[in-house]
């Protein structure tokens, strides 16, 4: 990481004595100023400081916390995901803007369809804060008269607790549309035995059965851990490495798996689940275009899908580039980094408006 | 000691038209001339999405789980005129998109209508009100000075009093302006 120029630190101090501290994680003046403003707003609106002295002391404390690299979302306690303010807590991955963009685009395609069934079932694996089911149901119910059943699954107890608390918060605001069923369940998506495995956590399929959940799901969405161990050390930022849970980023090691394969470890299993639950539309988030191409390869090998597409960071932006075909024969939609892989079959093609 | 509720910043009440409509109906004018509640601003310009190029500013390099960015800046470019607007006010990208669109519409309108644009009309209205408040203030202090002067001279001629006030006003003016 390049050193911060002294002139920049001096310029920051002239604006506000606390700004140089925020330059450490932000690296540029504009975003440091933005963060300082948001911290001030947070203190004025939420924190229990009673007078100006307490407020100043609290602001200083929060700025110091932030300067160690602690994510702003953990300090403020929330992150925006689409139109929602989702609660965040240490121990659960913070929702990313790119994920919201993919989900919004998927719903956008579904909304245009005239032939959606009266009831749709959506399964979200590795749900974390529960942001995907919550955004999905809100975006779709706003425009379509449709009944939705959504289930979020995660291995982490903290994540499930947080997802339920997010759901309860939205319920208290009267947000989830009546008639839609949303629930969260703790289960392990990977099915093979591994070291240090907690035998109390049920496997996904047996959990679906024992909790009397449906065994068929129309849409399967997942943002699984997809960072390989070497990428984890080389490409993630320090704030991610030091403060966000490794469980949500790096798939668990398995005997005889190479570095790259460990990063991709969830996808074969997810495609397997997609077949077992008879999913008609599948959307997986990936790290970059290379991983997207590897996943599309796996999906083609699975041989159950009639169409596969790669989406970039911003799949539906106004700067909609013409779909380009990379080395494979799959269209790549949108602008930015390779971000997700969309597969469909059967009625899914009609729902997405893809003409066979 | 004041109660803590008074020390907090004042809450902004929702100002949607629906909440105001029931407040408006019982207003009765004290004068025979009717109260003009309708503001005569030009209508807001709506820019079609096809004229806008939207850009989510982000650095190059990896995204997704690997980095955790707090910026949700939005940049809009109006294709017919080439006006560029950037917004990073809030943490919410969808909020920033709305704000950026509003600012862009205002800019384009300023370019199209010049002095007749909504923002310009509003700014004029604001400065007119400020000027009239200023004038009122000056008048009030002048009256006070006048009363004081009248007390000091104790029944001087009317013409003399006026002249004294005029002179005093001249000397006081620059100080007040600052």
């Amino acid at each position: 990481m390049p050193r911060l120029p002294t002139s920049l630190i001096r310029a920051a101090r002239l604006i506000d004595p606390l700004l140089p501290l925020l330059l450490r994680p932000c690296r540029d003046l504009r975003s440091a100023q933005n963060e300082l403003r948001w911290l001030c707003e947070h203190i004025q609106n939420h924190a229990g400081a009673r007078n100006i002295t307490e407020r100043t002391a609290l602001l200083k404390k929060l700025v110091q916390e932030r300067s160690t690299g602690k994510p702003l979302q953990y300090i403020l306690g929330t992150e925006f995901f689409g139109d929602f303010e989702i609660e965040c807590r240490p121990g659960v991955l913070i929702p990313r803007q790119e994920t919201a963009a993919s989900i919004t685009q998927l719903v956008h395609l579904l909304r245009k369809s005239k032939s959606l069934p009266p009831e749709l079932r959506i399964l979200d694996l590795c749900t974390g804060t529960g942001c995907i089911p919550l955004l999905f149901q809100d975006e779709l119910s706003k425009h379509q008269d449709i009944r939705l059943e959504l289930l979020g699954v995660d291995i982490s107890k903290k994540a499930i607790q947080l997802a339920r608390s997010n759901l309860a918060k939205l319920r208290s605001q009267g947000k989830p549309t009546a008639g839609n069923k949303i629930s969260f369940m703790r289960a392990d998506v990977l099915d093979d035995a591994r070291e240090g495995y907690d035998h109390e956590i049920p496997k996904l399929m047996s959990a679906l059965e024992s909790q009397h959940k449906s065994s068929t799901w129309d849409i399967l969405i997942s943002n699984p851990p997809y960072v390989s161990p070497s990428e984890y050390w080389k490409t993630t930022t320090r704030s991610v490495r030091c403060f966000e849970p490794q469980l949500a980023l790096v798939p668990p090691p398995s005997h005889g798996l190479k570095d790259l394969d460990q990063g991709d470890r969830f996808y074969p299993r997810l495609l397997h689940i997609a077949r077992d639950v008879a999913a008609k539309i599948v959307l997986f988030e990936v790290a970059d275009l290379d991983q997207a191409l590897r996943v599309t390869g796996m999906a083609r090998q699975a041989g159950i899908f009639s169409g596969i597409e790669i989406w970039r960071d911003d799949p539906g932006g106004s700067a909609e580039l013409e779909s380009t075909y990379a080395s494979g024969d799959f269209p790549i939609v949108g602008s930015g980094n390779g971000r997700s892989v969309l597969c469909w079959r059967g009625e899914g093609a009609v729902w997405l408006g893809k003409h066979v | 000691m004041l109660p803590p509720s008074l020390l907090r910043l004042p809450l902004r009440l929702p100002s949607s038209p629906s909440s105001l409509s029931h407040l408006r109906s019982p207003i009765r004018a004290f004068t025979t001339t009717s109260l003009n509640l309708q503001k005569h601003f030009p209508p807001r310009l709506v820019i079609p999405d096809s004229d806008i190029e939207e850009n989510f500013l982000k650095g190059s390099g990896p995204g997704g789980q690997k980095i955790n960015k707090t910026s949700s800046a939005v940049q809009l470019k109006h294709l017919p005129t080439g006006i560029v607007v950037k917004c990073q006010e809030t943490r919410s990208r969808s909020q920033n998109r709305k704000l950026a669109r509003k600012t862009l519409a205002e800019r384009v309108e300023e370019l199209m209508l010049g002095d007749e644009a909504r923002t310009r009309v509003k700014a004029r209205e604001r400065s007119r009100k400020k000027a009239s408040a200023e004038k009122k203030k000056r008048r009030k202090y002048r009256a006070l000075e006048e009363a004081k002067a009248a007390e000091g001279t104790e029944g001087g001629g009317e013409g003399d009093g006026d002249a004294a006030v005029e002179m005093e006003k001249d000397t006081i003016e620059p100080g007040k302006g600052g």
Side-chain angles (χ1 to χ4, degrees):
Chain A
M1 197 153 51
R3 185 198 295 227
L4 287 168
T6 324
S7 58
L8 183 65
I9 298 175
R10 207 178 289 138
R13 181 167 290 123
L14 275 178
I15 300 169
D16 194 299
L18 287 174
L19 266 187
L21 279 173
L22 286 175
L23 275 180
R24 282 185 208 167
C26 298
R27 314 307 296 175
D28 70 290
L29 201 55
R30 269 265 34 130
S31 48
Q33 280 179 294
N34 281 339
E35 292 203 358
L36 185 63
R37 191 178 67 240
W38 294 327
L39 283 167
C40 286
E41 281 169 6
H42 170 72
I43 287 172
Q44 278 166 0
N45 295 335
H46 303 285
R50 270 169 294 161
N51 53 39
I52 189 84
T53 339
E54 275 181 38
R55 267 190 226 152
T56 320
L58 187 62
L59 180 66
K60 209 169 164 187
K61 190 179 142 248
L62 295 188
V63 167
Q64 260 154 7
E65 259 180 63
R66 176 67 184 128
S67 73
T68 63
K70 184 173 177 177
L72 186 73
Q73 293 91 336
Y74 285 154
I75 297 174
L76 302 182
T78 60
E79 168 68 327
F80 282 88
F81 192 73
D83 282 334
F84 281 130
E85 201 172 353
I86 296 269
E87 201 181 328
C88 297
R89 284 180 209 151
V92 185
L93 191 85
I94 298 163
R96 304 290 200 257
Q97 310 264 4
E98 292 94 343
T99 314
S102 305
I103 300 301
T104 311
Q105 174 66 5
L106 175 64
V107 173
H108 180 73
L109 291 179
L110 291 175
R111 239 158 44 190
K112 284 197 292 191
S113 168
K114 295 275 182 291
S115 52
L116 282 189
E119 203 179 311
L120 262 184
R121 281 203 292 269
I122 296 102
L123 180 62
D124 177 35
L125 301 178
C126 311
T127 192
T129 54
C131 51
I132 293 177
L134 295 176
L135 182 69
F136 189 98
Q137 76 90 28
D138 185 63
E139 291 269 309
L140 196 56
S141 300
K142 260 194 293 198
H143 301 268
Q144 284 252 8
D145 189 23
I146 189 169
R147 266 174 55 87
L148 299 174
E149 186 182 341
L150 304 110
L151 174 64
V153 177
D154 205 289
I155 194 171
S156 149
K157 200 173 174 181
K158 270 187 190 166
I160 291 298
Q161 280 169 352
L162 182 59
R164 286 188 180 138
S165 135
N166 268 320
L167 175 62
K169 206 170 116 196
L170 290 178
R171 281 235 168 89
S172 70
Q173 295 167 3
K175 255 303 170 57
T177 320
N180 289 348
K181 254 168 67 182
I182 308 179
S183 49
F184 294 100
M185 178 179 87
R186 191 176 180 210
D188 187 2
V189 172
L190 294 174
D191 69 339
D192 41 354
R194 53 178 187 268
E195 293 165 40
Y197 172 66
D198 182 356
H199 288 277
E200 276 173 24
I201 308 171
K203 298 294 179 194
L204 176 67
M205 284 305 170
S206 56
L208 283 176
E209 211 171 293
S210 67
Q211 303 221 4
H212 309 291
K213 304 279 185 197
S214 167
S215 60
T216 59
W217 295 86
D218 299 310
I219 300 177
L220 175 70
I221 305 177
S222 183
N223 178 13
Y226 55 61
V227 184
S228 75
S230 69
E231 282 176 324
Y232 180 69
W233 293 110
K234 277 188 239 149
T235 57
T236 57
T237 58
R238 195 163 53 176
S239 128
V240 172
R241 250 191 337 269
C242 302
F243 292 92
E244 294 198 78
Q246 196 180 351
L247 180 72
L249 297 163
V250 186
S254 172
H255 189 67
L257 268 188
K258 286 204 198 84
D259 182 67
L260 210 61
D261 295 329
Q262 191 183 331
D264 293 351
R265 189 169 168 203
F266 268 84
Y267 297 108
R269 175 73 194 134
L270 288 171
L271 287 166
H272 203 83
I273 294 170
R275 198 192 56 202
D276 289 352
V277 301
K280 286 148 195 112
I281 297 174
V282 170
L283 181 70
F284 298 149
E285 185 168 319
V286 293
D288 46 34
L289 200 57
D290 292 338
Q291 193 169 37
L293 290 170
R294 290 199 297 274
V295 174
T296 47
M298 291 176 206
R300 183 157 59 174
Q301 252 184 3
I304 50 172
F305 298 109
S306 58
I308 301 173
E309 228 173 58
I310 296 173
W311 284 359
R312 292 181 183 274
D313 278 338
D314 186 18
S318 55
E320 201 161 333
L321 307 171
E322 277 300 298
S323 318
T324 47
Y325 291 78
S327 50
D329 14 47
F330 312 109
I332 303 176
V333 184
S335 57
N337 284 320
R339 185 53 56 218
S340 37
V341 173
L342 177 81
C343 313
W344 63 86
R345 61 170 166 171
E347 293 156 285
V350 188
W351 298 346
L352 289 171
K354 309 279 175 195
H355 297 291
V356 203
Chain B
M1 186 68 195
L2 285 165
S5 60
L6 283 178
L7 285 170
R8 284 198 201 115
L9 283 184
L11 272 173
R12 201 176 290 162
L13 288 169
S15 58
S16 62
S18 60
S19 70
L20 280 176
S21 59
H22 72 278
L23 286 176
R24 255 178 209 164
S25 50
I27 290 181
R28 274 192 218 114
F30 287 106
T31 57
T32 46
T33 48
S34 65
L35 192 56
N36 192 7
L37 286 169
Q38 201 73 44
K39 294 248 162 66
H40 292 289
F41 290 139
R44 275 183 204 283
L45 183 75
V46 180
I47 299 177
D49 268 354
S50 55
D51 280 359
I52 298 176
E53 189 186 288
E54 194 165 29
N55 208 340
F56 302 119
L57 302 161
K58 49 173 109 51
S60 52
Q65 291 175 1
K66 290 178 181 175
I67 60 164
N68 162 22
K69 54 174 182 296
T70 53
S71 149
S72 49
V74 173
Q75 183 173 292
L76 299 182
K77 187 176 176 187
H78 188 237
L79 296 173
T81 58
I83 297 177
V84 176
V85 165
K86 191 176 163 185
C87 179
Q88 46 184 351
E89 265 315 290
T90 70
R91 290 163 60 214
S92 153
R93 187 190 273 180
S94 49
Q95 198 69 31
N96 282 345
R97 290 178 72 182
K98 275 178 210 151
L99 288 172
R101 275 179 173 69
K102 200 178 144 202
T103 321
L104 184 65
E106 283 171 3
R107 292 278 168 77
V108 171
E109 204 185 291
E110 272 171 32
L111 193 75
M112 275 164 47
L113 302 176
D115 277 351
E116 296 308 304
R118 195 184 165 85
T119 44
R120 298 277 171 85
V121 172
K122 267 187 161 170
R124 265 207 302 280
E125 185 81 356
R126 222 176 298 129
S127 67
R128 194 185 58 78
K129 274 189 183 150
K130 200 177 165 196
S132 93
E134 208 50 44
K135 210 193 272 172
K136 207 182 250 175
K137 195 166 81 188
R138 232 178 286 149
R139 205 181 296 143
K140 178 185 161 191
Y141 282 104
R142 197 190 300 162
L144 279 176
E145 291 292 338
E146 210 170 316
K148 209 187 268 175
E151 222 171 80
T153 52
E154 281 198 286
E158 221 172 89
D160 295 356
D162 259 357
V165 168
E166 278 306 307
M167 260 171 59
E168 235 171 309
K169 183 195 140 210
D170 281 349
T171 51
I172 282 165
E173 262 316 282
K176 264 185 199 161

